[in-house]
Amino acid sequence: MVLRIFFTTPRRLDIYINNNYIPPLNDHVDASGKHVLKKPTTPTEYRPTISDPTGANFFDRDNQMLHVTIKGNTPIDMYTAPVVVISFGIPPVTPNEFFNSAGLVTRLALFLGVDPSKVRIVDIVRVGSVSGRRKRSTQSSTVSVEVGDPPSTVQTTPAPVTIAPALPPGSTTTTPQPGTTTPSPGAAAIQLLQEFTAKIVNALQTGSLGSQLNTTILSLNVVDPLPPPVTTWTNTANQTTTEPTTNTYSPPDKIQVKQEANAVHTQTPFPIQPKIEAVDAAGNTLSQVGHPTDPWLVTVSVKNKPADVILGGVRSVPFVAGVATFSGLSLNKPGTYELIFQVTYPTTANRFTTTGRAFSIIEKPIPVVPPPDNNKTTLIAIIVGSVVGVLVIIIVGIMVWKGLCSSTSKSAKISCEVGDAGKAPPKYTEKMNLNEYVTGPSTTAKTYEDDSVNHPHSTQDIEKSTQTDHRSHTPDSMPPPY
C-alpha cells in the first residue's frame, strides 16, 4: 500500500527502517557530495508506487503531502527533523549558480558560520516553471533552503512515530509495539536554529543580507522549527498540536508615528500613549519587524531635554505585529515637548528614527475637597427648629394657664375646674354679698358652676338673683342698685 500524509507546513521528514535512513526518491548527490532534492517535472514523478520497496518515500512540497510505500510487517519510523526552511525571492537564477564556490548556499553557510552540509536546496521555482497546478510568470525565482543537521545514515535512537502495517487475516505474528519517541534535539539546538533565523531576518531588514549573499533579495519567507516533540504516546494523544507558522519579512523603509502622544498634567501618565510603526516603501505597515524571538526595540527620549526634566514610564518597547506601543509615559515639569523615537536594537538599525508632534503639559492641580451639602443641612435645621419652637410655645402656654388659674386678687378669686368627659363646658356665674352695701365692700367670689343658666346680664336675671339673695339674707338688707 501507499500511504499519503498531509502536513500544514513544509518540513523535513526522514524515514528509517531498522534504524537505516531511506532517502527520498528525488534525493540527488551532486559531484561535490551535497544532497539536492530534485524538482519533479510532472505531478506524479518521484511518487512511490506499490511496486517500490517498503519505505520508498517522497515529500510533495507543492501539496505538502508525504507519500510512503508500506509492505510486509517491518515497521517504518518517521522522524520530523528540526530545521528552518527559508525561501528567498531573488532574480532568476540557474541551479548551477547555487553550488559553485561563489554560490548562494556557500555564502549563506559562511554568513551563518555553519558547515555547508547544514544548508541544502529543497525547492527552486524559476520563471515559467510549474508550481502545483499554477504557472508562475513573475520575473523572479524562489529558492527554498533548509538549515539544519543533514539526515543521519543510521538512526541510533528510536524514532518518534512508527508506521506499522496491518497483519494479514489469520496471521499469528505479534504486531510490533510502537517505538518510544526520539529524545528532543534539546533547547540548545532549537535556540541555535532560532538564532540563525533572527540573524537572517535582521540582515534582510537592515539591508545587509543582499551584500552578504551577493544577490538582490526581493522577499523572505521563514518556517520556524517545530518545538521539541513529546516523549510518550499518551502525551502525543493528549497534546494540543502547535504548527509552525510561515512569516513573511520585508525590509522597512522608515518608522513613523502611528499614534501621537497626548499629555495634560505633570506627574500623570499621558492619557494617549504613543505608537510607532514600521512601513515599507509603499507605506504599508510591516507585519514583522525582527524575528518573534528577537524583535526590534524602539526607545523614546525628549528632544532638547532640560536637565531637571524626567521622562517616566517604559521607554523601550518591542515591535509586536509591526507596531511598538508605549505605556506609562509621563513628565514631571510643565512645558512644550517633542518626543524622539529611535530603533536601538539591533544596533545596525539605529538609523531608523522619527520625531513626534509637539505637545504642551501643565502643572498638576492640587486636589480640592468639595464643601458639604449646605442645602441639606439648612433644611434639617429648619425642620428641627420648627418642631422645637412649637414645643416651646405649647409648654409656655400651659405654664401661663396654670398660673392664671391659681392666682388670687382682692376683688375676685378664680378657680379652674375641668368638667367630666361628655358634659357641657362650665359657665361663669357671680355671687355677690348684699351686705357690702351696708357694711362696706366685700370680696366677690367668682366661680364656674356647671348649670345651664346664662350670665346675669338681662334685667330678669338680676331680679332673679335679687330674690334669691333676699331669701338668704336679713329682711332689712337692701338689693344692690343696678
Side-chain angles (χ1 to χ4, degrees):
M1 63 175 291
V2 176
L3 178 66
R4 291 183 294 178
I5 305 175
F6 172 76
F7 293 88
T8 57
T9 56
R11 62 188 68 192
R12 196 185 86 196
L13 301 167
D14 298 337
I15 302 299
Y16 290 84
I17 296 180
N18 295 327
N19 292 331
N20 293 316
Y21 176 65
I22 308 298
L25 296 178
N26 64 332
D27 182 72
H28 171 70
V29 180
D30 66 359
S32 62
K34 293 185 175 67
H35 286 267
V36 180
L37 297 179
K38 293 182 179 180
K39 181 76 174 179
T41 57
T42 65
T44 59
E45 187 180 10
Y46 303 125
R47 287 186 182 181
T49 64
I50 195 64
S51 61
D52 290 321
T54 185
N57 64 91
F58 166 70
F59 185 74
D60 182 359
R61 290 187 173 271
D62 291 335
N63 298 299
Q64 297 176 181
M65 190 82 68
L66 175 67
H67 301 257
V68 183
T69 298
I70 301 175
K71 289 183 178 181
N73 298 328
T74 304
I76 298 175
D77 296 329
M78 180 177 65
Y79 177 67
T80 302
V83 295
V84 176
V85 180
I86 304 173
S87 298
F88 297 93
I90 59 177
V93 294
T94 62
N96 291 335
E97 294 176 353
F98 291 93
F99 301 105
N100 54 36
S101 59
L104 182 144
V105 170
T106 301
R107 291 192 294 268
L108 180 59
L110 291 175
F111 172 68
L112 296 177
V114 299
D115 189 273
S117 64
K118 296 182 181 293
V119 181
R120 71 168 182 169
I121 300 292
V122 294
D123 195 13
I124 300 176
V125 179
R126 294 185 295 273
V127 174
S129 65
V130 177
S131 177
R133 296 191 181 100
R134 297 182 180 179
K135 181 178 294 185
R136 302 193 181 191
S137 60
T138 57
Q139 298 301 313
S140 65
S141 295
T142 300
V143 179
S144 298
V145 300
E146 287 179 351
V147 179
D149 291 329
S152 175
T153 304
V154 178
Q155 181 69 31
T156 57
T157 56
V161 178
T162 297
I163 304 174
L167 294 177
S171 174
T172 58
T173 304
T174 303
T175 303
Q177 294 299 317
T180 57
T181 58
T182 299
S184 166
I190 297 296
Q191 182 178 359
L192 182 61
L193 292 173
Q194 292 175 342
E195 289 176 358
F196 289 162
T197 305
K199 187 174 182 179
I200 293 173
V201 170
N202 287 339
L204 169 75
Q205 295 191 321
T206 57
S208 63
L209 184 61
S211 60
Q212 294 284 346
L213 302 181
N214 194 26
T215 186
T216 301
I217 305 298
L218 303 177
S219 63
L220 180 69
N221 293 332
V222 176
V223 180
D224 291 311
L226 286 170
V230 294
T231 57
T232 65
W233 278 92
T234 302
N235 291 339
T236 302
N238 296 333
Q239 74 171 341
T240 301
T241 302
T242 302
E243 293 291 341
T245 57
T246 301
N247 295 319
T248 300
Y249 299 90
S250 300
D253 180 65
K254 63 179 179 179
I255 64 171
Q256 63 185 20
V257 179
K258 179 180 179 67
Q259 177 175 284
E260 294 283 356
N262 184 11
V264 179
H265 298 130
T266 59
Q267 308 291 349
T268 303
F270 301 162
I272 300 178
Q273 297 287 324
K275 295 181 180 181
I276 306 300
E277 63 180 352
V279 298
D280 58 17
N284 301 314
T285 301
L286 300 183
S287 59
Q288 298 289 341
V289 183
H291 191 263
T293 63
D294 191 33
W296 288 16
L297 297 180
V298 178
T299 301
V300 61
S301 60
V302 179
K303 184 177 181 180
N304 299 326
K305 184 181 77 69
D308 59 343
V309 172
I310 299 176
L311 177 63
V314 181
R315 296 188 295 274
S316 293
V317 297
F319 279 98
V320 178
V323 178
T325 303
F326 289 87
S327 62
L329 296 182
S330 64
L331 290 166
N332 66 326
K333 297 290 183 179
T336 301
Y337 300 96
E338 291 180 87
L339 299 180
I340 300 176
F341 304 92
Q342 183 180 24
V343 175
T344 53
Y345 179 83
T347 56
T348 53
N350 58 10
R351 72 177 185 276
F352 292 101
T353 181
T354 187
T355 303
R357 186 175 60 238
F359 61 92
S360 297
I361 187 171
I362 61 176
E363 194 73 43
K364 183 178 180 180
I366 300 175
V368 178
V369 179
D373 191 348
N374 293 328
N375 294 333
K376 184 181 296 185
T377 304
T378 303
L379 178 61
I380 295 175
I382 292 174
I383 295 174
V384 173
S386 300
V387 173
V388 172
V390 172
L391 292 176
V392 170
I393 293 174
I394 294 174
I395 292 172
V396 171
I398 293 174
M399 294 177 64
V400 171
W401 181 75
K402 286 185 177 181
L404 291 177
C405 290
S406 60
S407 65
T408 58
S409 63
K410 292 181 181 182
S411 60
K413 182 179 181 180
I414 301 175
S415 65
C416 301
E417 297 179 357
V418 179
D420 295 335
K423 291 184 179 182
K427 65 195 254 174
Y428 175 84
T429 59
E430 182 178 299
K431 290 184 180 181
M432 302 182 64
N433 188 357
L434 300 180
N435 290 331
E436 66 181 347
Y437 296 100
V438 177
T439 60
S442 64
T443 301
T444 303
K446 298 181 180 179
T447 63
Y448 285 96
E449 293 183 358
D450 194 10
D451 56 23
S452 59
V453 180
N454 296 327
H455 294 288
H457 297 297
S458 63
T459 305
Q460 295 177 353
D461 292 335
I462 296 174
E463 291 177 355
K464 185 177 178 180
S465 300
T466 302
Q467 295 174 359
T468 303
D469 290 338
H470 266 289
R471 289 192 297 268
S472 60
H473 294 86
T474 57
D476 54 354
S477 297
M478 298 296 294
Y482 283 93

